[in-house]
Amino acid sequence: MSQFSSAESRLNTAKEPTSGFSPRRLLQTAWLVVAVFMLSNAPTPLYIHWKQQLGFTSGTMTLIFACYILALVLTLLVAGQLADRLGRKTVIIPGLIASLLACLCFITADSVYTLLVARFLTGIAVGVTVTASMAAVVDAGGESRKRQAALVASIAMVTGAGLGPVMSGVIVRFVPHPVYTVFAVELLVQLSALVIALRLPSAAKKVAAPRPLRLPTIPKANMFHLLLGILFFAPGLTSTSLMLSLGPVLLNNFTAVGSPVIAGVMACVMFAVAVGTQILCRQLPIARIFYVSGAALLVTMLSVVMTLHGGDVKSLFLAALAAGAAQGLGQLGGLTLLSMNIAADRRAEANALLNIGAYIPAGLLPVATGYLIDFTGMTFSFTLLAATLVAVAVFALGLLIKQRSVTL
């Protein structure tokens, strides 16, 4: 990993404004990430409730989830560039306003269209968070604590992603009027984040001749690195998207446990595994990280098929655990591979392309599965998706074995 350390040191040569390090400021800035990611997954235990109340199909349910992915991808195209040029605060505040509007839409949702708008606004807020807010957390760590601050940002993301569905699941199970209660709490959380964001430093980078916004690009010599990263990150992300959008359906129809609390806990554990495996495996060679990610993806799909054919809640939980590992390690391997092989001044664009390449199939495949369920039933649809992702994982592992000299 010496090459990675060298690349990291070159990246850290840019000087930041000197200011005293404040643990309180670091944690407050991390709360921006926790807050928005709580909102991103809070709807998970409520999908069955909305499906019953509004009478929509499984295909429509996955379309609501995909609307979030679409907004996130579109935001990723510009949010990072804007945050670098205008300053973090200038971009974070509109993102939090989008999250507040999303809460209001969820509270008043009486149709599928309102839910689509709510999820789209949530996607905008998350797109801003993974670019501007997470960069602000690293900024708060200062020059000498960038690695520690990056770890805080990663933990904040997973903490929020896990807390959201647990909080929502408990409210759905024990509190009357669950939709109103969940998003009233979320509204307060987003308001607290907005208060913190308004107190962030306003220093923006001054650019003498600002370039127009453009689509992210990557040098042709690095196309293979990007492709390999996407081939491992995308199936893992698709598997976690599947567990978030259709996991409650699997839980409700193929196990003896249909509690929204269990659905929330399952999502929480999945994201805890995602961050835990990244921490445990961060020093491994990239090839090994990818091997473990691919193996975890195979376990995920096998566990889903087992659930469909006589399994129980244990096999579904195993699928969630393995999905978290597949996503976490696929993301870690892809980001590390790009960091080691792409110059610092092109790295942000490469990371954006990696996320876009992963989020597009993560949105499209669960939607296709949801609509296929309406025509062919759950067993065939989930089995077909599992076979598709297994085929991608096997292809990626074969490509990794064949081209090891390119990646190490």
Side-chain angles (χ1 to χ4, degrees):
M1 296 299 289
S2 59
Q3 186 179 358
F4 174 64
S5 300
S6 174
E8 183 182 47
S9 64
R10 290 195 301 270
L11 179 62
N12 290 344
T13 54
K15 300 297 182 181
E16 297 176 351
T18 57
S19 59
F21 170 69
S22 168
R24 180 179 179 182
R25 181 189 163 203
L26 177 64
L27 294 176
Q28 284 180 337
T29 310
W31 177 249
L32 305 179
V33 179
V34 174
V36 173
F37 272 92
M38 280 184 66
L39 176 62
S40 71
N41 290 336
T44 298
L46 290 162
Y47 282 132
I48 297 298
H49 171 83
W50 282 316
K51 185 178 180 181
Q52 294 171 347
Q53 293 293 315
L54 302 178
F56 53 74
T57 65
S58 296
T60 302
M61 184 163 65
T62 53
L63 184 62
I64 293 169
F65 182 82
C67 193
Y68 156 80
I69 299 289
L70 173 63
L72 195 157
V73 169
L74 292 176
T75 305
L76 283 173
L77 292 174
V78 298
Q81 297 178 64
L82 291 175
D84 284 338
R85 298 179 190 188
L86 305 178
R88 317 301 191 204
K89 180 177 180 178
T90 305
V91 178
I92 290 171
I93 290 175
L96 288 171
I97 291 173
S99 70
L100 289 169
L101 293 175
C103 291
L104 294 175
C105 287
F106 279 125
I107 288 173
T108 60
D110 56 0
S111 69
V112 171
Y113 300 107
T114 311
L115 290 177
L116 288 170
V117 172
R119 288 303 277 164
F120 192 87
L121 289 168
T122 304
I124 292 174
V126 172
V128 167
T129 300
V130 298
T131 52
S133 296
M134 294 188 76
V137 176
V138 177
D139 294 344
E143 180 67 28
S144 61
R145 295 177 176 84
K146 282 192 172 185
R147 293 190 66 176
Q148 295 94 321
L151 182 60
V152 169
S154 177
I155 292 173
M157 183 184 77
V158 178
T159 299
L163 281 177
V166 169
M167 178 272 294
S168 181
V170 171
I171 290 175
V172 170
R173 175 66 179 84
F174 297 108
V175 179
H177 310 294
V179 173
Y180 175 84
T181 306
V182 166
F183 293 105
V185 171
E186 284 292 347
L187 191 65
L188 294 176
V189 170
Q190 304 310 310
L191 283 171
S192 71
L194 182 60
V195 170
I196 292 173
L198 289 170
R199 300 175 63 185
L200 288 175
S202 300
K205 271 190 171 182
K206 300 297 182 181
V207 180
R211 297 172 298 173
L213 294 177
R214 55 178 173 78
L215 293 176
T217 59
I218 193 172
K220 291 183 179 179
N222 299 117
M223 287 300 296
F224 177 78
H225 303 122
L226 177 64
L227 173 63
L228 194 63
I230 290 174
L231 283 174
F232 281 96
F233 183 24
L237 185 62
T238 301
S239 65
T240 55
S241 298
L242 172 71
M243 299 306 295
L244 286 173
S245 59
L246 291 174
V249 176
L250 286 171
L251 195 65
N252 194 56
N253 289 274
F254 289 92
T255 74
V257 182
S259 168
V261 177
I262 300 300
V265 170
M266 187 171 68
C268 178
V269 170
M270 180 173 68
F271 284 106
V273 170
V275 72
T277 51
Q278 290 186 65
I279 294 172
L280 290 174
C281 299
R282 66 187 185 279
Q283 299 295 337
L284 291 179
I286 294 175
R288 289 189 184 181
I289 291 174
F290 279 145
Y291 286 139
V292 179
S293 175
L297 192 280
L298 297 178
V299 172
T300 302
M301 294 302 107
L302 177 62
S303 300
V304 168
V305 173
M306 287 174 56
T307 304
L308 296 171
H309 297 277
D312 56 16
V313 68
K314 294 179 183 177
S315 60
L316 192 58
F317 257 86
L318 178 60
L321 293 172
Q327 177 190 331
L329 294 178
Q331 180 178 0
L332 176 63
L335 290 172
T336 305
L337 182 62
L338 295 180
S339 296
M340 291 177 63
N341 291 280
I342 295 180
D345 60 347
R346 303 297 300 275
R347 202 166 294 149
E349 290 182 90
N351 289 346
L353 285 171
L354 176 68
N355 280 279
I356 290 169
Y359 273 106
I360 288 176
L364 293 180
L365 288 177
V367 169
T369 302
Y371 277 104
L372 195 60
I373 287 172
D374 297 332
F375 293 100
T376 64
M378 291 188 184
T379 301
F380 176 80
S381 302
F382 277 111
T383 302
L384 180 61
L385 176 62
T388 301
L389 292 179
V390 166
V392 174
V394 170
F395 174 77
L397 288 168
L399 189 62
L400 178 61
I401 294 171
K402 183 177 180 181
Q403 302 288 345
R404 279 184 302 181
S405 60
V406 178
T407 62
L408 297 179

